[in-house]
Amino acid sequence: MNVRKLIKMKAKEPITVVTAYDYFSAKVCEQVGVDLILVGDSLGNVVLGYDTTLKVDMEDMIRHVAAVRNGASTSFIVADMPFMSYQASDEEGIRNAGQLMRSGANAVKVEGGKRVAPLIKRLTDAGIPVMGHIGLTPQSVNQIGGYRVQGKDEDSYRMLDDAKVLDNAGAFSIVLELTIEETAKVITESISIPTIGIGSGRYCDGQVLVWHDLLGINDEKVPKFVKKYANLSSEIQNALKSYISDVKNGNFPEEKHVFKEKLK
Ligand code: KIV
């Protein structure tokens, strides 16, 4: 996969995106043919146990992007730029994006509308492909006032305008998060690059889900837009309970798990 192939998929073939944060999840994504792997800053919530993505920093992202690249040597990997890695200045943003590329990313993702357009232009000029992210942008949750559905009423015009500006700035695709379906549809039909939806309905050019939600690793309540394709949380719990019971009852290890050396 590369940026040009991905853009060509727009309106022809739905694009699949899954988040991955480590060697193993990345390896499985590559084996099954996910179109694009996103090392999201959701890393903070689902792997590091932070209560917000605002706590994720460059060090976290660099380590996990490298792990994902180790597991998926040929996949197209997009790395989220964490909070405060690009907000203070475009120069800082460019340097930090460079570090994520050196760690193994093929592209970076930045949250925001018009405000980030100059940065997107400079990054793409520097040879760094950029994915935009509008609608619900968790890094601005304190400004937005909570995790609310976006793209209603007049807000839909602002989102459409933002999407066009990011397209013109050189972004190769845009994530639309938690956006009214009709607004996501109009945006998708109005720009030249693929939209990747999460909680934004059926008419985006592709979909992204978080690894832990999709696989049901997370036994907490998941948002309405998530489809769980497995229930690994209960599988894992059952496996661990069996292990505990086997060890406590002397049923593990068995003869076949043991190394023996003949005593002389
Ligand atoms: O961090 C993340 O996982 C994301 C997706 C929700 C798009 O940004």
Side-chain angles (χ1 to χ4, degrees):
M1 183 59 66
N2 58 47
V3 167
R4 286 177 56 189
K5 280 190 192 159
L6 202 91
I7 293 174
K8 278 196 184 148
M9 288 170 80
K10 184 176 174 74
K12 289 201 188 82
E13 181 188 338
I15 298 164
T16 53
V17 184
V18 177
T19 68
Y21 314 97
D22 60 19
Y23 168 80
F24 180 72
S25 52
K27 190 170 161 190
V28 179
C29 285
E30 182 156 293
Q31 277 167 349
V32 300
V34 164
D35 291 317
L36 192 153
I37 297 175
L38 171 66
V39 189
D41 60 0
S42 49
L43 165 75
N45 304 99
V46 296
V47 175
L48 302 175
Y50 300 159
D51 54 353
T52 161
T53 58
L54 303 189
K55 293 183 182 168
V56 177
D57 62 16
M58 278 297 293
E59 215 180 305
D60 294 328
M61 289 306 300
I62 286 170
R63 181 167 301 118
H64 286 271
V65 167
V68 167
R69 175 54 78 203
N70 289 342
S73 59
T74 61
S75 293
F76 193 86
I77 296 172
V78 179
D80 244 337
M81 295 206 56
F83 179 61
M84 276 303 139
S85 67
Y86 59 99
Q87 284 88 346
S89 74
D90 287 355
E91 282 65 30
E92 205 174 359
I94 292 164
R95 279 196 200 96
N96 283 325
Q99 287 207 60
L100 293 171
M101 299 296 280
R102 284 209 179 106
S103 310
N106 300 102
V108 297
K109 175 162 83 58
V110 293
E111 294 185 6
K114 279 193 197 82
R115 184 182 50 82
V116 293
L119 173 63
I120 292 179
K121 170 124 192 25
R122 289 187 64 181
L123 287 170
T124 50
D125 284 349
I128 300 178
V130 186
M131 178 180 254
H133 182 158
I134 58 174
L136 180 80
T137 46
Q139 292 178 12
S140 311
V141 69
N142 292 300
Q143 178 70 25
I144 297 169
Y147 294 90
R148 288 205 306 260
V149 178
Q150 304 290 307
K152 295 180 184 168
D153 308 321
E154 302 89 66
D155 192 39
S156 61
Y157 297 106
R158 185 191 48 79
M159 269 190 77
L160 176 59
D161 199 30
D162 279 341
K164 287 181 178 169
V165 172
L166 298 191
D167 185 1
N168 288 330
F172 72 88
S173 73
I174 304 179
V175 167
L176 303 179
E177 181 164 352
L178 210 60
T179 299
I180 297 284
E181 187 175 60
E182 292 81 356
T183 305
K185 183 171 189 283
V186 172
I187 292 173
T188 300
E189 288 166 354
S190 308
I191 61 175
S192 70
I193 53 175
T195 57
I196 307 294
I198 175 158
S200 300
R202 293 162 288 184
Y203 304 108
C204 296
D205 296 302
Q207 296 292 328
V208 53
L209 280 178
V210 167
W211 173 265
H212 295 65
D213 293 344
L214 186 162
L215 295 173
I217 294 172
N218 191 354
D219 69 348
E220 290 157 18
K221 197 169 173 287
V222 287
K224 165 190 163 91
F225 60 80
V226 170
K227 180 169 175 182
K228 279 192 186 182
Y229 286 85
N231 198 350
L232 293 194
S233 161
S234 60
E235 292 260 344
I236 291 169
Q237 286 189 28
N238 288 339
L240 286 174
K241 282 180 191 162
S242 300
Y243 165 69
I244 292 169
S245 146
D246 274 359
V247 173
K248 297 278 184 199
N249 296 321
N251 294 329
F252 175 80
E254 298 166 47
E255 178 80 24
K256 63 183 174 192
H257 303 122
V258 174
F259 300 99
K260 283 184 177 166
E261 193 180 5
K262 278 195 189 123
L263 294 176
K264 287 177 192 150

